Amino acid sequence: MSHTKLVNNMKNIIITGGAGFIGSHVVRLFVNKYPEYNIINLDKLTYAGNLANLKDIEDKENYTFVKGDICDFEMVLELMKKHKVDGIIHLAAESHVDRSIKDPFTFARTNVMGTLSLLQAAKIYWESLPEKYEGKRFYHISTDEVYGALELTNPEGIESPFTTKASSAHHHAYGTEFFLETTKYNPHSPYSAAKASSDHFVRAFHDTYGMPTIVTNCSNNYGPYQFPEKLIPLFINNIRHRKPLPVYGEGLNVRDWLYVEDHARAIDLIFHKGKVADTYNIGGFNEWKNIDIIHVLINTVDRLLGRKEGEDLNLITHVTDRMGHDMRYAIDSRKLQKELGWEPSLQFEEGIEKTVRWYLDNQEWMDNVTSGDYQNYYESMYKNR
Ligand code: NAD
Ligand code: DAU
């Protein structure tokens, strides 16, 4: 029996948003690593949910998929009772900043009301049990964007004072400040405002009702199965097809990139060993200016496709900047490393090579997503179940 099971004794776990990018990696990790758990993937299958992301584990005994909306409180409560749920790992959200600028209502509905609906269902179900909140966990996945934006005090980059195994070979930081767990919330986009609001509700359920909650705030993730509206998969696909690369503004904004499986491993560790009511930042100290990462993508795709390296640099097209575009994100994850011993496994240069290869080798996945065909997969897979 694993040590983690002795600590918590949790067995029946709902993972929300498990058909999305990060969620699919978390579901895969839990289903494969914990055969004694029942993993219930609750996902509405919005445009961002794709069951093809989980093809390799969909027939496993310990895995159940439920198509449903987290805003449907009655359904969530019934699901919790039916499966005697003792843990929730909550990833379901509207996640794309540009969409939130166009349609903020959807973000408030899913990210705020959806989170509240899960919290309230968990409260009613867990409080109805003799053991109440004993051995239970509500783990909410949040983002570094709730902290706002840091200044670009060193636009040319300085040597970062902190590194991890995930840090790129150049070890650059573009400012001297980092987001800490204690940094005051200061969200700017409708997406981050909705995420911040949901974080507050999660903490309020701990402070008011004693629910055992945990919140983590992670930096930008990259890796396989990311929807090609986000920078990295969108640009890899465009370079492959020699389509223009829409760089917002000058491309000088800085993001802090972490390989998605390292985020999933952190979630596993924190779910089992994290301190109730606490917050952990997750990130690998790996800052990149957008324009630099775009050069890496062009060079890598060109090399792997046997084109002359850098041949496609002319695809770079500067377009109107994103409204309210946050300048720099940089996460300080030293607390997670120190208290729980988390260390990312993949250096950025390895991770980006692996990611570009994955998208080039899985053109069928990409074609399914870009054509919209993936949305028929649920019907064909589940209509007789
Ligand atoms: P994603 O957009 O790829 O996936 C979201 C998933 O949630 C989809 O499967 C979608 O169908 C599902 N969903 C959306 N609305 C739903 C609803 N009402 N009910 C049930 N399911 C619903 O998102 P992602 O990039 O994998 O992000 C997952 C979580 O991690 C989000 O909470 C996001 O805020 C957070 N996060 C993301 C990043 C990142 O870099 N992608 C970084 C830090 C934190
Ligand atoms: O920091 C964590 C966040 O990272 C998550 O909470 C969000 O869910 C996730 O979407 C991501 O947000 P970003 O806005 O940083 O990611 P995106 O891939 O949309 O953009 C990365 C950077 O690239 C950003 O500075 C905007 C820029 N960009 C993006 C796109 C899609 C472009 O220049 N052109 C583009 O076409």
Short mmCIF file of all heavy atoms in Angstrom, two decimals, residues 3 60 127 140 147 164 183 220 251 255 274 298 319:
data_model
loop_
_atom_site.label_atom_id
_atom_site.label_comp_id
_atom_site.label_asym_id
_atom_site.label_seq_id
_atom_site.Cartn_x
_atom_site.Cartn_y
_atom_site.Cartn_z
N HIS A 3 2.26 4.99 0.61
CA HIS A 3 2.31 5.88 1.75
C HIS A 3 1.18 6.90 1.67
O HIS A 3 0.48 7.20 2.64
CB HIS A 3 3.67 6.57 1.77
CG HIS A 3 3.81 7.56 2.89
ND1 HIS A 3 3.71 7.19 4.20
CD2 HIS A 3 4.03 8.89 2.86
CE1 HIS A 3 3.87 8.27 4.95
NE2 HIS A 3 4.06 9.31 4.16
N LYS A 60 -10.05 1.82 -18.76
CA LYS A 60 -9.54 1.32 -17.46
C LYS A 60 -10.69 1.18 -16.46
O LYS A 60 -11.61 1.99 -16.44
CB LYS A 60 -8.51 2.31 -16.91
CG LYS A 60 -7.27 2.44 -17.76
CD LYS A 60 -6.18 1.54 -17.27
CE LYS A 60 -4.94 1.76 -18.14
NZ LYS A 60 -3.73 1.20 -17.64
N GLU A 127 -21.04 17.22 4.93
CA GLU A 127 -21.60 17.50 6.26
C GLU A 127 -22.69 16.49 6.64
O GLU A 127 -23.03 16.35 7.82
CB GLU A 127 -22.15 18.94 6.33
CG GLU A 127 -21.02 19.97 6.39
CD GLU A 127 -21.51 21.39 6.64
OE1 GLU A 127 -22.74 21.61 6.70
OE2 GLU A 127 -20.65 22.29 6.77
N HIS A 140 -8.47 23.12 -5.41
CA HIS A 140 -8.82 24.06 -6.49
C HIS A 140 -7.57 24.50 -7.24
O HIS A 140 -6.62 25.00 -6.64
CB HIS A 140 -9.52 25.26 -5.84
CG HIS A 140 -9.86 26.36 -6.79
ND1 HIS A 140 -10.78 26.22 -7.82
CD2 HIS A 140 -9.44 27.66 -6.86
CE1 HIS A 140 -10.89 27.36 -8.47
NE2 HIS A 140 -10.07 28.25 -7.92
N TYR A 147 -2.48 37.19 -9.55
CA TYR A 147 -1.58 38.12 -8.86
C TYR A 147 -1.36 39.41 -9.66
O TYR A 147 -0.72 40.35 -9.17
CB TYR A 147 -0.21 37.47 -8.61
CG TYR A 147 -0.23 36.27 -7.69
CD1 TYR A 147 0.33 35.05 -8.11
CD2 TYR A 147 -0.78 36.34 -6.41
CE1 TYR A 147 0.34 33.95 -7.26
CE2 TYR A 147 -0.77 35.23 -5.57
CZ TYR A 147 -0.21 34.04 -5.99
OH TYR A 147 -0.19 32.94 -5.17
N THR A 164 15.45 25.91 -11.23
CA THR A 164 15.05 24.52 -10.94
C THR A 164 15.50 23.71 -12.15
O THR A 164 16.03 24.26 -13.11
CB THR A 164 13.52 24.35 -10.84
OG1 THR A 164 12.96 24.62 -12.14
CG2 THR A 164 12.89 25.27 -9.81
N THR A 183 1.51 37.36 -2.25
CA THR A 183 1.31 38.53 -3.12
C THR A 183 -0.19 38.86 -3.19
O THR A 183 -1.02 37.96 -3.33
CB THR A 183 1.85 38.23 -4.54
OG1 THR A 183 3.24 37.96 -4.44
CG2 THR A 183 1.63 39.40 -5.48
N ASN A 220 2.32 29.40 -16.70
CA ASN A 220 1.90 28.88 -18.02
C ASN A 220 2.38 27.45 -18.23
O ASN A 220 3.57 27.16 -18.05
CB ASN A 220 2.50 29.72 -19.14
CG ASN A 220 1.79 31.04 -19.30
OD1 ASN A 220 1.76 31.85 -18.38
ND2 ASN A 220 1.22 31.28 -20.46
N GLY A 251 5.86 41.58 -28.85
CA GLY A 251 6.27 40.22 -28.43
C GLY A 251 7.20 40.25 -27.23
O GLY A 251 7.95 39.30 -26.99
N ARG A 255 6.43 35.27 -20.08
CA ARG A 255 5.67 34.21 -19.42
C ARG A 255 6.65 33.20 -18.84
O ARG A 255 7.78 33.05 -19.32
CB ARG A 255 4.71 33.51 -20.41
CG ARG A 255 3.60 34.43 -20.97
CD ARG A 255 2.63 34.83 -19.88
NE ARG A 255 1.53 35.68 -20.31
CZ ARG A 255 1.54 37.02 -20.24
NH1 ARG A 255 2.61 37.66 -19.79
NH2 ARG A 255 0.47 37.72 -20.59
N GLY A 274 -0.30 18.09 0.76
CA GLY A 274 -0.39 19.53 1.02
C GLY A 274 -1.14 19.82 2.31
O GLY A 274 -1.97 19.03 2.76
N ILE A 298 10.06 28.28 -34.18
CA ILE A 298 10.33 28.29 -35.63
C ILE A 298 11.55 27.42 -35.94
O ILE A 298 11.51 26.55 -36.83
CB ILE A 298 10.54 29.73 -36.15
CG1 ILE A 298 9.23 30.53 -36.03
CG2 ILE A 298 11.04 29.73 -37.60
CD1 ILE A 298 9.38 32.02 -36.31
N VAL A 319 0.77 41.97 -34.66
CA VAL A 319 -0.64 42.38 -34.75
C VAL A 319 -0.99 43.23 -33.53
O VAL A 319 -0.20 43.33 -32.58
CB VAL A 319 -1.59 41.15 -34.84
CG1 VAL A 319 -1.30 40.33 -36.09
CG2 VAL A 319 -1.49 40.27 -33.58
#
